[in-house]
Amino acid sequence: MSESTRPANGSAQRPTSGSTQQPVSGSAQQPTGGPTSESAQRTYEWLRPSPEEHIGWDVDVLYGPWPRHPHDTGLDEVRAHLRRSPVANALALSTRGPLFDDEAGNAETIRDLDDCPELLPVGTVDVRDALTAEDRLDELAAAGVRFLRLFTLEQAAEPGFPGYRRVVKLAIDRGMVLLHDGDPRRFGPPLTDRGADVVFLDLHAYLLADFLLMARDEPGFRATTRMLSGPDSIERAVDAVGPRHLVFGSRTPFMDISPQTMKLRYADISPDDRAAIATKNVEELLA
């Protein structure tokens, strides 16, 4: 869809988060000409899917065991899954790092992905053992790893914990991009005014307004589209702060990648905005 075909006032054409789009019972909107024939003629005027499905970068990919997942998904299976999707490249991490041993997990991720040109390694540290974080971050920097993923939920870290603050400071000092789990309303404030590049992985549609208020003043704050399930969540973010604050993330293989790609395809945004979210914003972080 080109800009010329987009409604002049796009928000007025879209269903909003507070709109049910349901006909009133017994109103004049009730079908009168036979339910089968009218249903076949109905179209959703606000849905104008882009023909473009390509996703340049997925920032949220893991491989290995996961306690709440019914089976372990190895690297080969994850790569095969991505090849069957519109995703071309991904930032990936072995679950050994957050679940068992950050040093061994980082080494495994770097070693495993050395022969995977479509995957870039992501490192991690154990925020419960921040005394070793400096060594872990130096090892990652020496290996050319630019992204650090924090698992505060699995490691029970709170924004005010000394270990968490120590890890964040060391990572920001090294210019690393944080891939951050948890509620942005809790973890965003301690990361403001620090020049940090942060991708919030768990931004839900219900929390979008609070994130947008922070993103207005924080050019380095971004979020994935994974949990923006409101009918106009992506459009609201683009309209409020621009497309640079969103990136694509699917949490493959623990989540179905299809709804994530379709959500972006059906978003009522320009092709340039879509390309920024699907590809260019991550390329900017990699530059």
Side-chain angles (χ1 to χ4, degrees), residues 128-267:
R128 298 166 298 189
D129 188 12
L131 292 176
T132 64
E134 191 161 5
D135 290 341
R136 297 291 85 75
L137 291 170
D138 286 341
E139 292 162 2
L140 292 171
V145 176
R146 301 275 305 280
F147 293 83
L148 181 72
R149 183 160 179 161
L150 300 179
F151 291 83
T152 64
L153 298 179
E154 282 72 20
Q155 296 172 0
E158 298 288 340
F161 283 10
Y164 170 81
R165 297 203 309 266
R166 171 71 172 165
V167 167
V168 166
K169 180 182 185 306
L170 292 171
I172 293 175
D173 288 346
R174 287 160 174 74
M176 304 188 82
V177 179
L178 298 178
L179 304 182
H180 207 303
D181 66 353
D183 188 338
R185 298 173 302 179
R186 299 176 65 239
F187 289 98
L191 294 168
T192 59
D193 299 324
R194 305 180 69 168
D197 282 309
V198 186
V199 177
F200 291 101
L201 301 171
D202 297 334
L203 174 65
H204 191 278
Y206 295 156
L207 315 181
L208 180 58
D210 283 312
F211 170 75
L212 295 178
L213 289 173
M214 292 189 293
R216 282 178 176 175
D217 301 320
E218 288 291 333
F221 278 17
R222 300 167 180 82
T224 71
T225 57
R226 179 174 64 91
M227 297 175 72
L228 296 183
S229 55
D232 61 345
S233 293
I234 293 176
E235 292 88 339
R236 285 186 67 197
V238 170
D239 288 346
V241 295
R244 76 181 311 276
H245 290 276
L246 293 179
V247 297
F248 181 84
S250 69
R251 194 146 305 178
T252 295
F254 307 128
M255 302 290 290
D256 186 351
I257 199 170
S258 302
Q260 320 307 327
T261 59
M262 294 298 289
K263 192 185 309 172
L264 188 55
R265 187 181 174 202
Y266 274 80

Side-chain angles (χ1 to χ4, degrees), residues 12-174:
Q13 301 294 320
R14 304 168 187 151
T16 63
S17 298
S19 171
T20 63
Q21 296 296 315
Q22 297 296 319
V24 177
S25 177
S27 73
Q29 298 179 52
Q30 193 72 21
T32 57
T36 301
S37 60
E38 182 154 328
S39 176
Q41 295 173 5
R42 284 178 179 173
T43 59
Y44 298 100
E45 294 180 355
W46 61 88
L47 292 180
R48 292 179 287 274
S50 163
E52 179 59 69
E53 290 192 85
H54 176 77
I55 304 291
W57 286 96
D58 184 340
V59 304
D60 193 354
V61 171
L62 302 119
Y63 66 94
W66 195 256
R68 295 185 296 276
H69 202 256
H71 69 277
D72 298 350
T73 307
L75 179 58
D76 290 343
E77 189 175 351
V78 169
R79 295 182 75 189
H81 185 66
L82 290 173
R83 282 196 294 270
R84 295 191 295 269
S85 80
V87 174
N89 305 282
L91 308 180
L93 172 79
S94 166
T95 58
R96 176 182 293 275
L99 295 180
F100 303 109
D101 183 320
D102 54 1
E103 183 178 14
N106 289 336
E108 181 174 283
T109 298
I110 293 168
R111 181 179 62 251
D112 287 349
L113 303 192
D114 186 53
D115 294 328
C116 305
E118 80 280 19
L119 301 178
L120 276 185
V122 173
T124 192
V125 294
D126 191 338
V127 293
R128 298 166 298 189
D129 188 12
L131 292 176
T132 64
E134 191 161 5
D135 290 341
R136 297 291 85 75
L137 291 170
D138 286 341
E139 292 162 2
L140 292 171
V145 176
R146 301 275 305 280
F147 293 83
L148 181 72
R149 183 160 179 161
L150 300 179
F151 291 83
T152 64
L153 298 179
E154 282 72 20
Q155 296 172 0
E158 298 288 340
F161 283 10
Y164 170 81
R165 297 203 309 266
R166 171 71 172 165
V167 167
V168 166
K169 180 182 185 306
L170 292 171
I172 293 175
D173 288 346
R174 287 160 174 74

